[in-house]
Amino acid sequence: MAIVAVWGTNFVVIKISLESFPPFLFAALRYFFALLPVVFFVPKPKVSWRNLCAYGLATGVGQFGVMYFAIDGQISPGLASLVIQTQVFFTIGFAMFFAKEGLKLYQAVAVAVAMMGLVIIALHTDATTTFLGLALVVFAGLSWGAANTVSRSAGSINMLSYVVWASAFSIPPLFLISLIFEGGWEHINSAMALAPLGAWLGVLWQSWGNTLFGYAAWGWLLSKHPAALVAPTPLLVPIFGMGASAYFLSEPLPSWKILAAGLVIAGLVVNLFWPSIESKIKHHFS
């Protein structure tokens, strides 16, 4: 629950820190402090440099860089915490394409239900959530799905070490994008010099709380408990995300937003639990 609380409320921290840092610089700083000084204390995972590069680019630029850009005026943090969960379905899609895994009927139903939730969000775009913002966070979900596929191909590894070393490949493109599109070095230097302590604490929260603690603790839980017991808990991330956004940022929770959240989470639940439910039904009637 501590991990889910960190991952969910993290969207509020992102929104507040973006008041001081431009989005791609903020993402670059996140991975800079995830890399240093931890990289000197954890060994390089037994995986290729190409794999680390692909994971670092997918998570650093495609997932968080793009998502920060979207939250910086294109979509509310609460909805972002919900829409990013589309990564589950992109992960399934990549598994079908690369590992030739088949799409089961219940998975198709799960995707359809979740898509209904996204359609509801798309129909209610306004000043706080634009269609571009929705599309950008869906793209971030796609990048997360790609990162999941890359990390799965790495085999059984130390996830903390993997994330730390992959961060080395996130930093250069994020700084380069910031340098080109966010006002050049003078603006970057000014943003870092003028950022208050709270904004820097937000950066460290992203680096150490969300990235290092989250992944290390998650890996430890998976090593100590059955995956079926642990894996469902991220379904609560949007609940924490939307709740924290409503409480700390006064983000409204109209009925359409609750309905959309319910549909997306229902789709995730069907995708995760249906095999177990079907097995119990068959056992009951056999």
Side-chain angles (χ1 to χ4, degrees):
M1 290 302 292
I3 297 168
V4 172
V6 167
W7 284 349
T9 56
N10 184 52
F11 289 84
V12 172
V13 177
I14 292 170
K15 181 65 175 179
I16 293 173
S17 295
L18 284 172
E19 295 175 1
S20 301
F21 297 111
F24 285 98
L25 174 62
F26 183 38
L29 292 171
R30 168 196 177 128
Y31 285 99
F32 180 82
F33 289 107
L35 178 70
L36 297 174
V38 185
V39 71
F40 297 114
F41 301 98
V42 295
K44 174 184 174 293
K46 295 179 179 179
V47 64
S48 70
W49 288 108
R50 180 163 53 177
N51 185 283
L52 285 172
C53 179
Y55 184 84
L57 291 175
T59 57
V61 181
Q63 181 185 348
F64 285 102
V66 170
M67 187 175 70
Y68 289 177
F69 181 77
I71 293 176
D72 190 33
Q74 298 292 335
I75 191 170
S76 65
L79 279 183
S81 71
L82 173 68
V83 177
I84 193 68
Q85 300 305 319
T86 54
Q87 60 87 13
V88 172
F89 305 112
F90 286 118
T91 301
I92 294 171
F94 286 127
M96 290 172 56
F97 184 80
F98 292 106
K100 306 303 179 184
E101 295 181 9
L103 180 68
K104 297 178 174 60
L105 178 60
Y106 76 87
Q107 292 174 324
V109 171
V111 171
V113 171
M115 285 299 297
M116 290 169 60
L118 296 182
V119 169
I120 290 175
I121 296 172
L123 293 174
H124 288 82
T125 55
D126 54 22
T128 60
T129 299
T130 67
F131 186 81
L132 174 61
L134 177 62
L136 287 171
V137 178
V138 170
F139 178 82
L142 183 148
S143 298
W144 190 358
N148 289 339
T149 304
V150 171
S151 64
R152 285 181 66 188
S153 70
S156 179
I157 53 174
N158 182 315
M159 196 61 188
L160 173 62
S161 176
Y162 186 69
V163 169
V164 169
W165 281 81
S167 296
F169 295 95
S170 303
I171 298 166
L174 287 168
F175 267 124
L176 183 60
I177 293 171
S178 181
L179 192 64
I180 296 173
F181 297 104
E182 294 180 339
W185 174 246
E186 183 177 347
H187 187 260
I188 290 175
N189 188 50
S190 175
M192 291 193 294
L194 297 176
L197 176 62
W200 283 106
L201 290 176
V203 170
L204 296 181
W205 182 254
Q206 293 290 291
S207 303
W208 299 344
N210 187 54
T211 304
L212 301 184
F213 164 74
Y215 277 101
W218 185 252
W220 180 82
L221 281 175
L222 288 174
S223 69
K224 296 293 183 180
H225 302 282
L229 180 65
V230 179
T233 52
L235 293 172
L236 296 175
V237 168
I239 305 300
F240 276 93
M242 297 180 75
S245 295
Y247 184 80
F248 293 106
L249 302 176
S250 300
E251 181 179 324
L253 283 175
S255 58
W256 69 262
K257 190 177 290 188
I258 296 172
L259 175 60
L263 287 169
V264 173
I265 294 173
L268 295 172
V269 168
V270 169
N271 178 70
L272 187 63
F273 290 109
W274 180 252
S276 175
I277 295 172
E278 185 180 34
S279 175
K280 290 179 179 178
I281 291 174
K282 288 181 178 179
H283 178 74
H284 178 76
F285 288 102
S286 62

